[in-house]
Amino acid sequence: MNAGQRRGRGALWRAVPLWAVPLWGLSIAVLAVGACAPPKPHWNVLVVTFDTTRADHIGAYGYQAARTPVVDRLAEEGVLFEQAIAPVPITLPSHSSLMTGKAPLAHGVRDNGLFALGEEQTTLAEILRDVGYRTAAAIGSFPLTAEFGLDQGFELFDDHLTSPYEDYYGQRVLPRERLFFEERRAARVNEAILPWLEEHADERFFIWLHYFDPHHPHEPPAPYDQLFAHRLYDGEIAYSDESLGSVLEHLERLGVADNTLVVFTSDHGEGRGEHDESTHSMLAYQSTLHVPLVIKVPDGQQGIRVSERVSTMDVVPTVLDLLGLEAPAGLQGLSLRSVIEGGEASWRSTRPIYAETLSPRLSRGWGELRALVADGKKYIHGPRPELFDLDLDPRELDDLFAEQPELAERMRGRLASYLVEHAASGLDASVPLDDEARRKLEALGYLQGSGERAGAIDERLRQDGDPPQDHAATTTVFSQARNLLFEGRALEAQGFIQELLRTDPENPFYLELLAQSKIRAGDSDGALEILRQLAALDGGYPPREKLLRLEASVLFMQGEPKRAYVKTDEAERLAPTADGQYRLALYAQQAGQERDATYYFEAALLLDPDFSPALVDLGIRRAIEGDLAQAEALLERALAADPFFARTHYNYAALLVQTDRLARAAAHFERAFQLRPDYLQARAARVEVLIDLGQLDEARAEAATLERRSPGSAESRNAQQLIAAAS
């Protein structure tokens, strides 16, 4: 089993000295899980999850403005569930339920980062692997990486995520403290899985693909950024839909599409301003719990729409039933096979469906919410309980709790009984939260608390703490500020941050965000002043090492690498990290201390042998020293650790030029600007290599592209001069 790959980052170009740039009703038992005979029928299984995707933003669900032809066609050729409900509006626990068929209170994962799916849990991948399936997954964001347990049962679990260490012009830049999760686009998720699919297309396979794109911040790639300029969320869903289409076309080309069971769903929706919630995780309304669910069975019923409410926990028992496999004991999900095959529902309409979000308490210190949907009614329990009639009021605008207290009490009793019946006694799936995980969780606003180990959850109905509903608007302002920062609109972001600080002047999360905005606005002195205010607070956040690293980043921006070095060194003594050691190397390099820089690059690799930036820079240093064999070995390690990062391809191409392997060099220069279309140096270098290869027409075409992308730039002028000289 692949335990997952490290995330790394990781550029030379020939216009400077070659090595100078530092740089996703139980079934009828037919076959027992674990038996040797193959399951019947011999279908492949493809599960695709779009992150953060509301059902009412898919064309097949009636959204006229959608551009989702691939999902719409799946619905036409399969079964669409109109009222699918996710058990949690949070990525990791919802996917854990999707892959185990259990409610969070049975598998133990309750929030992102603070929990991991335990080895005692059985996933769909493990069940299918044990009956002979080849299994592979590629995911698109940090909350689902292997360290959180969803890699169980996958022989390939590609969680390789990247973040840039250079700007769009290929220039080295010190990485800022990132505002958002490490993630990768859907196309790169596809790239990670399609070679494996090619290799195993003649075997029974199970593939899970997770596209993170619809998650905020909303930044769809071209042309969706223009086609959906005022509806970027829809643009990211449209882009994900196109990416799914690419995979389905690949299945067609390989001749296995007609033999593949396809499940499409989402982990949760998005508030988009409803109930004052712009994103998700804090509230338990249908805006973040109602998700799409489409199942296409080979030669199955087509165009069926199911109005019964179902849960995404039903996916595992349904897939197993369709394959003729027995579901494990203890699942809360039910098989939907009867309706998929055009029959009546095998479950009663009064079936209770459970949902929860404990994140408001675990990550913010507010109250928690648990919900039960039954008989068309929905009861939400928490510090301020609510009751809704979903059939009459699907947007949950009319709270019936005070009007119908007897119904509310009955629903409360059913919810309490559900906890007693399904909770796993004494289950503790919490994990320690390290600094890197904390940083990434804070980055999307998922974590605003101590971040200590959560421990076993007390599975009872609680009403303590602040009602999360009262904080939704503040959370929305916080999210708006972060989005503005992401978009580079730092001064506008400061207005929202000041609004937050007026309500809570010493909130360390708000102050940290203000420091970030000042850095982005170029106000380094203002940023340092805010960091000093943070240091004077006695709340345990941010930890001292984080403050030191932030201060070092500001000092480096101010042109003081020596002082930045001292601050980073102090932080590293408190909590050493590969990234910290790498920064020390950069500071030493800036100060001309080349031997120290080499030491710190090597120290980074001792902490993380797959840390691409250090691999690349060490490769460059070895090349400078004349050890081209060692340089090539280091750069090839960097390529293996991070095959989707342009800078690694650029430097490897430069080495290939140095060793007269021009055709391979041209291919890697091309790969660099395929990954980063505005990588000017890579395009310019490829022009020169093409000329050396005698491919003048192709060189002219490349030079013309360079001029269109960057008219009059030094790179373009140099390329034109080379073309003229060679003509």
Side-chain angles (χ1 to χ4, degrees):
M1 180 189 304
N2 187 336
Q5 304 166 350
R6 297 283 184 183
R7 288 152 300 283
R9 303 96 174 155
L12 291 176
W13 75 288
R14 300 180 66 200
V16 297
L18 190 56
W19 304 107
V21 182
L23 316 147
W24 169 6
L26 298 173
S27 62
I28 300 172
V30 175
L31 179 69
V33 173
C36 296
K40 297 178 181 180
H42 299 268
W43 292 336
N44 304 309
V45 180
L46 170 64
V47 173
V48 180
T49 54
F50 287 11
D51 210 290
T52 323
T53 299
R54 292 172 58 128
D56 60 6
H57 278 250
I58 300 291
Y61 282 82
Y63 186 49
Q64 297 299 315
R67 182 167 167 175
T68 53
V70 177
V71 172
D72 298 347
R73 181 180 173 186
L74 280 177
E76 292 171 1
E77 297 176 348
V79 180
L80 179 147
F81 294 86
E82 296 177 341
Q83 298 294 334
I85 297 174
V88 202
I90 306 171
T91 298
L92 177 63
S94 186
H95 276 96
S96 297
S97 291
L98 178 72
M99 291 298 172
T100 64
K102 293 183 178 182
L105 45 76
H107 61 62
V109 180
R110 320 309 279 270
D111 206 346
N112 285 336
L114 306 175
F115 300 83
L117 189 68
E119 293 183 359
E120 76 281 357
Q121 303 297 327
T122 303
T123 67
L124 180 60
E126 290 177 295
I127 297 169
L128 296 183
R129 178 201 62 191
D130 290 348
V131 296
Y133 276 75
R134 306 304 297 264
T135 58
I139 59 94
S141 71
F142 170 72
L144 300 179
T145 52
E147 61 197 284
F148 301 117
L150 277 174
D151 62 326
Q152 296 177 50
F154 288 106
E155 60 184 271
L156 169 69
F157 188 84
D158 192 303
D159 60 353
H160 197 107
L161 312 174
T162 63
S163 60
Y165 270 74
E166 59 179 330
D167 64 20
Y168 279 102
Y169 297 97
Q171 303 298 334
R172 160 76 68 186
V173 293
L174 183 71
R176 295 170 175 167
E177 295 295 317
R178 281 178 58 80
L179 295 173
F180 298 97
F181 283 140
E182 292 186 2
E183 60 178 287
R184 58 177 169 185
R185 293 200 186 279
R188 293 192 179 181
V189 172
N190 289 353
E191 285 186 351
I193 210 72
L194 291 180
W196 185 94
L197 175 59
E198 292 270 0
E199 183 179 352
H200 300 286
D202 59 345
E203 304 172 80
R204 283 178 297 139
F205 59 78
F206 166 46
I207 291 175
W208 168 36
L209 296 176
H210 166 251
Y211 298 158
F212 189 67
D213 301 81
H215 198 289
H216 81 277
H218 303 309
E219 192 183 35
Y224 297 101
D225 56 342
Q226 298 300 315
L227 294 173
F228 295 87
H230 303 291
R231 295 186 292 118
L232 296 177
Y233 176 64
D234 292 339
E236 294 199 313
I237 294 173
Y239 166 66
S240 300
D241 183 86
E242 178 190 58
S243 300
L244 172 56
S246 296
V247 174
L248 297 181
E249 288 174 6
H250 216 74
L251 295 175
E252 291 276 2
R253 186 177 64 77
L254 294 170
V256 297
D258 292 340
N259 196 39
T260 300
L261 168 64
V262 180
V263 178
F264 161 74
T265 190
S266 177
D267 53 349
H268 53 76
E270 188 79 320
R272 301 191 56 76
E274 293 187 34
H275 304 280
D276 289 327
E277 185 177 34
S278 64
T279 57
H280 57 275
S281 80
M282 288 296 108
L283 304 180
Y285 297 112
Q286 296 302 94
S287 52
T288 61
L289 294 176
H290 179 203
V291 296
L293 176 61
V294 178
I295 301 178
K296 179 187 174 184
V297 178
D299 298 320
Q301 297 288 324
Q302 297 190 4
I304 294 178
R305 300 179 72 92
V306 179
S307 60
E308 289 279 355
R309 290 187 174 88
V310 301
S311 171
T312 56
M313 291 187 290
D314 300 333
V315 168
V316 168
T318 299
V319 169
L320 296 178
D321 198 1
L322 289 166
L323 295 176
L325 294 171
E326 183 178 11
L331 304 192
Q332 283 79 59
L334 302 178
S335 173
L336 309 177
R337 177 179 175 179
S338 58
V339 294
I340 290 174
E341 294 181 345
E344 294 298 321
S346 59
W347 67 94
R348 299 171 56 200
S349 62
T350 55
R351 167 203 180 183
I353 295 178
Y354 174 80
E356 67 171 38
T357 178
L358 308 192
S359 187
R361 179 172 64 81
L362 294 173
S363 67
R364 312 291 180 102
W366 306 331
E368 65 184 38
L369 301 174
R370 300 186 189 239
L372 197 76
V373 178
D375 304 317
K377 307 299 188 295
K378 180 178 178 182
Y379 171 73
I380 303 175
H381 186 87
R384 188 169 66 237
E386 297 174 297
L387 178 68
F388 300 98
D389 187 327
L390 293 182
D391 293 336
L392 299 177
D393 178 28
R395 297 185 63 186
E396 297 160 292
L397 301 176
D398 185 12
D399 179 11
L400 304 176
F401 185 82
E403 278 182 49
Q404 302 186 35
E406 294 181 356
L407 176 58
E409 184 57 30
R410 288 198 301 272
M411 293 286 287
R412 180 190 181 281
R414 294 186 69 177
L415 177 56
S417 297
Y418 190 97
L419 302 188
V420 172
E421 181 179 354
H422 296 295
S425 178
L427 178 62
D428 182 1
S430 65
V431 293
L433 184 67
D434 62 29
D435 291 338
E436 182 69 3
R438 179 200 296 270
R439 178 181 68 83
K440 294 171 183 176
L441 292 167
E442 289 163 356
L444 277 182
Y446 276 123
L447 183 66
Q448 289 191 25
S450 68
E452 300 297 329
R453 187 181 176 95
I457 300 298
D458 186 4
E459 304 294 358
R460 62 184 175 88
L461 296 181
R462 301 176 56 161
Q463 289 190 260
D464 56 311
D466 288 353
Q469 301 94 318
D470 291 348
H471 293 277
T474 300
T475 303
T476 294
V477 174
F478 186 81
S479 178
Q480 288 172 321
R482 302 195 76 90
N483 282 336
L484 287 167
L485 277 181
F486 179 82
E487 295 168 3
R489 299 156 63 184
L491 293 176
E492 291 178 68
Q494 287 183 25
F496 288 93
I497 300 167
Q498 295 292 357
E499 180 182 342
L500 293 169
L501 285 167
R502 282 192 288 272
T503 66
D504 190 353
E506 295 189 347
N507 185 301
F509 300 96
Y510 303 161
L511 287 170
E512 183 189 351
L513 201 62
L514 182 60
Q516 291 278 8
S517 71
K518 289 184 178 295
I519 292 172
R520 296 300 175 95
D523 183 4
S524 55
D525 291 335
L528 287 175
E529 177 59 33
I530 300 302
L531 292 176
R532 294 188 189 101
Q533 292 182 43
L534 278 167
L537 298 178
D538 191 23
Y541 183 86
R544 177 163 173 74
E545 58 269 23
K546 181 171 186 177
L547 283 169
L548 288 166
R549 292 188 174 105
L550 284 168
E551 188 174 351
S553 294
V554 176
L555 291 170
F556 189 79
M557 290 172 58
Q558 292 179 329
E560 299 190 49
K562 291 183 179 180
R563 292 181 64 195
Y565 175 94
V566 171
K567 296 292 183 180
T568 304
D569 183 60
E570 186 178 350
E572 287 298 295
R573 294 175 188 276
L574 293 170
T577 64
D579 181 74
Q581 296 296 312
Y582 181 72
R583 292 180 186 226
L584 286 173
L586 295 183
Y587 300 148
Q589 199 170 52
Q590 183 78 8
Q593 300 169 344
E594 298 298 326
R595 183 174 298 178
D596 287 347
T598 298
Y599 169 82
Y600 288 120
F601 287 138
E602 292 173 342
L605 293 176
L606 288 175
L607 290 168
D608 183 353
D610 293 330
F611 192 70
S612 290
L615 287 168
V616 172
D617 279 286
L618 270 180
I620 293 169
R621 301 183 77 78
R622 295 294 178 257
I624 292 172
E625 296 163 0
D627 190 347
L628 298 186
Q630 181 64 15
E632 184 167 357
L634 287 163
L635 289 169
E636 286 178 344
R637 280 175 59 189
L639 280 173
D642 186 359
F644 304 114
F645 194 68
R647 179 175 178 259
T648 311
H649 287 276
Y650 184 89
N651 281 280
Y652 188 59
L655 176 66
L656 293 170
V657 170
Q658 184 77 353
T659 54
D660 295 322
R661 288 171 284 179
L662 299 185
R664 288 183 61 193
H668 280 280
F669 281 132
E670 182 178 16
R671 184 62 176 145
F673 63 71
Q674 284 175 345
L675 292 168
R676 309 238 356 217
D678 293 322
Y679 205 151
L680 302 184
Q681 286 87 342
R683 288 187 177 274
R686 189 166 187 269
V687 170
E688 188 169 353
V689 171
L690 290 171
I691 292 172
D692 291 345
L693 288 168
Q695 300 174 14
L696 196 56
D697 289 343
E698 194 170 347
R700 290 192 184 98
E702 195 62 69
T705 299
L706 180 55
E707 175 63 18
R708 286 196 301 272
R709 289 192 174 275
S710 183
S713 67
E715 292 83 4
S716 179
R717 292 196 307 271
N718 183 56
Q720 297 295 340
Q721 291 168 4
L722 290 171
I723 293 291
S727 296

